[in-house]
Amino acid sequence: MLSAVKRYKLLLSGALARCFPRTSAYVQSEEDLVLRRWPSAADGKGATAKKNAKQVVKRPGKQPGRVSAKKTGRAPKQQTSESEKTAKPKSRSRQASDGIYGPAKMPVEDSQVQAMRLRVGRAVEAGVIAAPSEEQWKMILSDSPVTRIFAGAGSGKSTTLVLRVVFMLCHMDIAPERLTVISFTNASCAQLRDQLVRVLSFWNFDFDPASAKHCVRTFHSAMAMLAKEVLGKPVWFEQLDEKGALATELENPLMGSRLRPAQQRLLKQAYEECYAQVEAFRGLVHELLQLPQPEQVSGKQVLKAPLDAFKVAGEFTPMPLFEAFYAQAGFIESIGIRIDQMQPARMDCAPRERAFVEALILFWKHFQALLASRGLTTFNSAFQTLTQRLATADLSVRSDALAPFSHLLIDEFQDVSPQIVQWLQALHRALARQGEGVSLMAIGDDWQSIYGWRGSSPELFMDFDKYFPGRGASKKSQVLMLETNYRSIEPIIRDGEAVLSGVAFKQAKVSKAARPTQQGDHGVKLVTRFDVKARLPDLIKAIQAQCEYVACRPDADRNAVLVLSRRNEPLRAIEAQLDKKLPVKTYTIHRAKGLQAEVAIIVDDCLPAERHPLRNALYAYSGFFRNSYDQAMADENLRLAYVAITRGVSRVFWYTHKPQGATRLLADRGKAG
């Protein structure tokens, strides 16, 4: 039995090392971790464990299709740090079995390419679409089974993505039920669906709104579709108290709002039960809240859990401890860590942060048990369960349930998290084990990655080949660049790039402006010493003046003015004073991604957050990241400024009290007025 466990351990640790070569939790005390995570390796089912382990590393079947002589793109040179150079994984002995995609190209014949180009030409003449550029054609006609697209701001990626789907369905003859497009939010999915239905109708392809709804999904909606088949129609904790919620039409939780009352009640109940039942938890709670240690329980004494507000260092506001646990647990799971398998003693952090993690682990056990008793589950739990079952070749996962994920086209890939990466890996490795041909096209822009505070990271997109390796000689994805910006004039593009000069780790690239600069156009004009609260009437007059400017401008963008801020508070004050008839929209910068207007007006600053020692420790513990969390947030604040600036078409104004952060970089360029 012992030898069987050891053989299983070696097979499994090898597979994990290939997927997560720098994850410290796997490297240290591997045997203990394996036995904790897969107890079946130590029970009386050694033979079954051994069999499943062999299935995990089974050589995937070849993808059908001819080998093309077309050369794949080469990634532009990246900036690398010393830590990156020393963190390279060791050389591996296994060859083809490591990869997921290829080595054969997708079957694309010259006749298919010619037919697509001819049909697109007719669609352009009919006004259905705009004519693709040559760099966009490379994406549309790609024959690589794994492709990475760096699509800059305003590069027309949405239209190009639609035409790629058209080519796959109408000319490559890929069945719609084997293709899934993943977009970031339900709103962006709705736009893509409408475009697909409209464009495919010109190709006379049978694709109604119901087909589009099945084909285009958010990550969480796609996961829910699979969970319905595999996990027995789960009921979601995140949808409690949500009116009109559908169990398979899930919104990206990055766009979610505050906890609703029903969710708060369950979290509070789990907290109070854990406090009453677990002495160690009581002690940790009092330590965290800096309260005297609780008295010993005697008889049927009822213990009342303290509800004092608690502030995690690095977060903006204090909150009840059970809400703090939930918020940090979501981040922990998002960066690929299983809470029930955490070992706080291995975390490099101060005693206060370690005590928080120890208390969170105890709380999370009670919370999960409470959810199970109510027939509920969380999005993250479902991702974890599906990933584990796929990775262990669970025979209960039917092949037809996986079929829609055979060909994936994923937008906004720079905002995926390690948890999503693990799920995608498991999906395509499972399909490859079944001998199915799989393909992945990932479209993103590390310059626009702005959700690191929720667990995403542009590093996953930049290190793409490590997580989604191909088979064959190169093992590299095809890399294509959409560098032309069809939205903004060149001065705006250059000012946006200027704020990125302070980003420590980014893909080197330069955008090209397609729109000419006209008289009156300009890049960022920085208005300093401006207090929004004290000078709100002046700001309202400035917004009105820009509306008048746009009204007199020929061929102006359909959106006249976007007013952007990092926070909702100044936006609400502006909205209260604006004439409702003005063509002005107000958005937080996070919600404005993908939008544009003739004039962008930015208020407030994109300042780096305070140090977050807990998340620094979690970043290091996960093993996915080369940066610290603090460095990632410093970079992200500059990327947030870039996103805000590149919403403007012909003019950008930035009102700030004191140049700092991104506005300091702009002031150094002489942008202050």
Side-chain angles (χ1 to χ4, degrees):
M1 179 61 203
L2 181 60
S3 61
V5 171
K6 286 185 176 180
R7 286 195 298 272
Y8 174 70
K9 182 204 72 174
L10 290 172
L11 286 168
L12 189 55
S13 62
L16 290 170
R18 291 193 298 275
C19 296
F20 314 109
R22 296 189 289 122
T23 303
S24 59
Y26 295 146
V27 175
Q28 301 175 18
S29 299
E30 234 176 5
E31 184 169 351
D32 175 60
L33 289 171
V34 169
L35 294 179
R36 285 182 54 177
R37 296 177 186 195
W38 289 273
S40 61
D43 63 17
K45 301 177 182 178
T48 302
K50 180 179 176 182
K51 179 180 178 181
N52 287 341
K54 288 184 177 179
Q55 289 176 326
V56 170
V57 298
K58 182 179 179 181
R59 188 183 303 270
K62 291 186 177 180
Q63 178 177 329
R66 66 182 180 87
V67 178
S68 169
K70 182 183 289 187
K71 296 181 180 179
T72 58
R74 179 174 296 174
K77 187 176 181 180
Q78 300 178 359
Q79 299 175 357
T80 56
S81 63
E82 289 302 316
S83 61
E84 180 190 4
K85 293 176 183 177
T86 59
K88 298 288 185 181
K90 295 181 180 180
S91 60
R92 299 168 296 175
S93 59
R94 296 184 181 273
Q95 300 297 323
S97 61
D98 290 349
I100 304 174
Y101 306 95
K105 300 293 185 182
M106 300 178 74
V108 176
E109 304 292 342
D110 290 341
S111 59
Q112 296 169 323
V113 171
Q114 292 171 4
M116 178 67 179
R117 286 185 176 272
L118 179 62
R119 194 65 179 174
V120 166
R122 292 174 179 171
V124 170
E125 291 175 356
V128 176
I129 55 172
S133 67
E134 281 308 306
E135 62 184 12
Q136 290 171 336
W137 271 117
K138 290 178 182 178
M139 172 178 162
I140 295 166
L141 303 175
S142 173
D143 62 357
S144 173
V146 55
T147 312
R148 181 170 36 150
I149 317 289
F150 283 91
S155 61
K157 64 175 181 176
S158 295
T159 300
T160 312
L161 175 59
V162 167
L163 289 176
R164 171 63 180 178
V165 174
V166 170
F167 183 60
M168 294 178 77
L169 295 179
C170 300
H171 299 278
M172 295 177 66
D173 296 325
I174 291 175
E177 57 270 18
R178 303 190 67 81
L179 183 148
T180 297
V181 180
I182 296 181
S183 192
F184 199 63
T185 66
N186 282 338
S188 61
C189 285
Q191 292 175 354
L192 277 174
R193 290 165 183 162
D194 290 344
Q195 284 182 281
L196 273 173
V197 170
R198 179 174 58 85
V199 176
L200 282 168
S201 67
F202 188 82
W203 264 255
N204 297 318
F205 189 85
D206 186 13
F207 198 79
D208 58 16
S211 301
K213 193 172 184 179
H214 184 82
C215 178
V216 183
R217 296 180 174 272
T218 64
F219 269 116
H220 290 74
S221 173
M223 176 274 292
M225 180 175 64
L226 182 61
K228 181 180 178 182
E229 298 291 331
V230 177
L231 304 181
K233 300 181 180 180
V235 180
W236 307 108
F237 169 76
E238 289 84 353
Q239 288 188 329
L240 289 180
D241 270 0
E242 183 180 336
K243 295 180 179 179
L246 298 175
T248 56
E249 294 301 312
L250 306 186
E251 178 62 287
N252 190 326
L254 293 178
M255 312 305 294
S257 56
R258 296 176 180 271
L259 287 167
R260 292 181 289 275
Q263 296 168 321
Q264 290 175 318
R265 286 194 295 270
L266 276 181
L267 287 165
K268 183 181 178 183
Q269 181 180 341
Y271 171 72
E272 291 175 335
E273 289 178 356
C274 190
Y275 183 87
Q277 298 171 18
V278 182
E279 182 179 355
F281 183 72
R282 290 196 295 274
L284 290 166
V285 166
H286 282 246
E287 178 183 341
L288 292 169
L289 297 177
Q290 297 182 325
L291 299 173
Q293 285 299 305
E295 298 179 359
Q296 295 293 324
V297 180
S298 59
K300 295 183 179 180
Q301 180 182 353
V302 178
L303 295 173
K304 187 175 182 180
L307 300 177
D308 306 47
F310 177 81
K311 183 177 181 298
V312 175
E315 296 294 333
F316 291 113
T317 57
M319 60 185 68
L321 196 51
F322 55 85
E323 290 191 22
F325 287 146
Y326 180 74
Q328 300 307 317
F331 178 81
I332 290 169
E333 292 183 323
S334 184
I335 64 173
I337 299 173
R338 289 285 299 263
I339 294 175
D340 59 338
Q341 296 167 2
M342 288 187 73
Q343 299 183 18
R346 291 182 173 171
M347 293 180 61
D348 183 13
C349 59
R352 181 172 174 80
E353 280 68 47
R354 186 171 290 108
F356 181 87
V357 173
E358 290 171 351
L360 187 155
I361 292 170
L362 295 171
F363 164 80
W364 206 244
K365 181 178 180 180
H366 274 72
F367 178 58
Q368 293 296 322
L370 180 60
L371 290 180
S373 70
R374 303 289 184 91
L376 297 169
T377 191
T378 64
F379 296 162
N380 285 345
S381 292
F383 271 118
Q384 290 174 355
T385 303
L386 289 171
T387 298
Q388 184 169 353
R389 290 178 66 171
L390 289 168
T392 55
D394 190 327
L395 297 179
S396 66
V397 182
R398 296 181 294 109
S399 58
D400 58 340
L402 299 179
F405 304 101
S406 300
H407 301 281
L408 287 173
L409 297 97
I410 301 175
D411 196 10
E412 305 287 3
F413 200 92
Q414 77 279 352
D415 288 320
V416 304
S417 66
Q419 182 182 64
I420 297 293
V421 166
Q422 291 170 330
W423 181 65
L424 291 172
Q425 287 176 323
L427 273 175
H428 271 187
R429 286 194 182 278
L431 282 161
R433 281 197 304 270
Q434 296 173 4
E436 298 291 338
V438 293
S439 72
L440 172 62
M441 178 171 281
I443 309 154
D445 180 14
D446 61 292
W447 290 5
Q448 298 186 76
S449 178
I450 57 175
Y451 288 98
W453 51 282
R454 295 297 295 268
S456 67
S457 172
E459 291 187 35
L460 302 171
F461 187 47
M462 297 173 72
D463 293 338
F464 183 84
D465 290 335
K466 179 169 66 180
Y467 303 112
F468 302 98
R471 290 183 289 139
S474 69
K475 298 189 178 181
K476 300 289 186 180
S477 59
Q478 180 184 36
V479 177
L480 301 175
M481 309 290 287
L482 299 184
E483 296 179 308
T484 304
N485 186 315
Y486 298 94
R487 175 190 299 151
S488 304
I489 59 170
E490 185 170 356
I492 291 176
I493 294 172
R494 299 297 165 244
D495 286 342
E497 291 174 349
V499 303
L500 295 174
S501 63
V503 174
F505 182 69
K506 61 180 180 292
Q507 181 76 40
K509 52 185 181 288
V510 177
S511 296
K512 298 175 291 187
R515 184 183 294 270
T517 302
Q518 302 179 31
Q519 185 176 3
D521 293 355
H522 58 72
V524 179
K525 283 193 174 180
L526 191 61
V527 183
T528 58
R529 299 179 181 178
F530 192 93
D531 188 317
V532 175
K533 290 183 179 179
R535 298 181 59 188
L536 183 58
D538 294 337
L539 181 59
I540 297 298
K541 290 180 182 178
I543 294 172
Q544 292 171 339
Q546 294 309 309
C547 290
E548 293 171 2
Y549 156 77
V550 175
C552 298
R553 182 184 176 94
D555 301 322
D557 192 85
R558 59 183 179 182
N559 295 320
V561 177
L562 275 180
V563 180
L564 306 171
S565 174
R566 185 175 181 177
R567 300 175 298 124
N568 282 305
E569 181 184 0
L571 295 178
R572 285 193 289 264
I574 293 167
E575 288 171 350
Q577 298 297 319
L578 271 178
D579 184 343
K580 305 301 181 185
K581 296 180 181 179
L582 288 174
V584 179
K585 295 182 179 180
T586 61
Y587 287 94
T588 63
I589 301 172
H590 283 92
R591 289 186 175 272
K593 191 162 68 167
L595 302 179
Q596 66 185 55
E598 194 67 40
V599 179
I601 296 177
I602 310 165
V603 298
D604 217 348
D605 291 305
C606 295
L607 294 177
E610 61 181 278
R611 290 189 68 255
H612 205 307
L614 173 62
R615 292 194 172 182
N616 282 331
L618 292 168
Y619 248 48
Y621 182 82
S622 77
F624 272 97
F625 311 103
R626 70 194 71 186
N627 288 332
S628 68
Y629 179 78
D630 287 345
Q631 181 62 62
M633 289 301 97
D635 287 353
E636 184 161 304
N637 278 279
L638 296 177
R639 292 195 296 266
L640 194 65
Y642 171 80
V643 168
I645 291 168
T646 54
R647 299 312 93 194
V649 172
S650 64
R651 288 182 170 184
V652 178
F653 297 87
W654 195 325
Y655 292 84
T656 183
H657 180 65
K658 177 183 178 182
Q660 46 192 340
T663 51
R664 164 55 63 190
L665 293 170
L666 291 169
D668 291 343
R669 284 172 58 86
K671 293 294 178 178

